[in-house]
Every structure is written in C-alpha cells, then in structure tokens.
Amino acid sequence: MSEFSFTDHSHRRFNPLTQSWVLCSPHRAKRPWLGQTEEQSTETRPSYNPKCYLCPGNTRATGTRNEQYTSTYVFTNDYAAVHENQPMCTNTDIEQVTRSSSNDLFRVESVCGTCKVVCFSPRHDLTLPELSVEEIIKVVCAWQQVYADLSRNPEIKYVQLFENKGAVMG
C-alpha cells in the first residue's frame, strides 16, 4: 500500500474550538466538475444524455462503462469522499505538516469507508417525484439494500443517504 498523503487520502481533523472531528476528503478536488450556477431552467431534459456519466451504457470519467441498466442502478462512487483501502496517517505524516510531534490545533486521524451512487432511473429526464410508485419502491429498496450492506461492515460506523440533484451538482 502507498504512503499516506494529505492531498490524496481521506482523514479526520480535530477542531479544538468545537471539540469535534471534521471529515477531510482532499482528493475530491480532483474530480471533474460539470456543475453550473444559474436559474432553474424551464427547458425539457432529454431522456438520455450521451455525455452524462450516469446514463446507461455511458463511460464515466474514470473510464468505467455503466451497465445498460433498465431500472434502479447502484455503483461505487468514482470520486468518493472516503475510500475502503488507503494508507493510515501516521505521526510522521503529521510531523511533516506541523513540524511538531505534538500539536493541539492539528489533530488528524485516517478514515476509511465507501460511497455508493444510486441512479433512480435509466431516464435522464426523470426525478424522484416523476417516477411511478413501482419505480419509487425500487429506489427505496435499493437504499435499504445499500444501507444493510454497509451496516454489516464493522469498520463503517455511519451511513448517510442523500440526493445530489440538478445541473448545479454536475
């Protein structure tokens, strides 16, 4: 396994002011960004977008090709905030940054985990409220399966389900 890097590996940093840990995922700054910031559009969305990393059969930024999925589709995030296999952050790594073996303002711990992407539908133009009841049930079942699978891993202490939606998210 490679050596720990503060610019490439997930870790937690301790905030002494709030007495809490903060997740740092510096490698996510390297992911491609197709997002935008503008007013909500009233134009119609295509059911398939050949440039979309999430559409069936398309190639993602990492070169992985999506399956030709016909229903809800789950895969591991190519630019996840945390990773399952990464080197541990050691005191030597911290000393290289802080120039000290003891620093109350810069406490760091390695973190491991995974992030899953759940595509609700193969249709690029549909959002959750636009799906049929049967399709929504498949999405909820996928959430339950992802939650159950991740919860079985003793290294994973927290599972969060959320939605990134719209052009602003890329």
Side-chain angles (χ1 to χ4, degrees), residues 102-138:
S102 175
N103 189 318
D104 289 338
L105 291 177
F106 191 73
R107 289 172 52 192
V108 177
E109 289 182 351
S110 295
V111 295
C112 292
T114 188
C115 298
K116 300 292 184 179
V117 174
V118 179
C119 296
F120 297 166
S121 166
R123 296 246 333 249
H124 184 86
D125 59 334
L126 296 179
T127 62
L128 191 63
E130 297 169 313
L131 298 177
S132 69
V133 172
E134 293 79 16
E135 291 168 318
I136 292 172
I137 289 170
K138 290 178 183 178

Side-chain angles (χ1 to χ4, degrees), residues 50-115:
K51 295 181 181 180
C52 176
Y53 298 126
L54 304 178
C55 281
N58 286 0
T59 302
R60 300 198 301 268
T62 58
T64 303
R65 182 173 293 279
N66 292 330
E67 295 176 16
Q68 286 288 350
Y69 62 96
T70 58
S71 185
T72 303
Y73 178 57
V74 179
F75 63 91
T76 300
N77 192 325
D78 296 327
Y79 295 93
V82 293
H83 297 282
E84 291 181 274
N85 297 312
Q86 71 172 29
M88 297 301 292
C89 177
T90 67
N91 285 338
T92 303
D93 297 316
I94 296 168
E95 288 172 16
Q96 289 175 353
V97 173
T98 64
R99 311 283 189 250
S100 168
S101 61
S102 175
N103 189 318
D104 289 338
L105 291 177
F106 191 73
R107 289 172 52 192
V108 177
E109 289 182 351
S110 295
V111 295
C112 292
T114 188
C115 298

Side-chain angles (χ1 to χ4, degrees), residues 1 4 9-12 23-25 27 80-89 109-115 150 153-159:
M1 188 177 291
F4 181 87
H9 300 115
S10 305
H11 57 279
R12 297 190 316 166
L23 175 65
C24 296
S25 302
H27 57 282
V82 293
H83 297 282
E84 291 181 274
N85 297 312
Q86 71 172 29
M88 297 301 292
C89 177
E109 289 182 351
S110 295
V111 295
C112 292
T114 188
C115 298
L150 296 178
N153 182 337
E155 298 296 315
I156 296 177
K157 308 269 189 275
Y158 182 78
V159 176

Side-chain angles (χ1 to χ4, degrees), residues 133-146:
V133 172
E134 293 79 16
E135 291 168 318
I136 292 172
I137 289 170
K138 290 178 183 178
V139 172
V140 173
C141 287
W143 288 337
Q144 290 174 320
Q145 188 63 56
V146 167

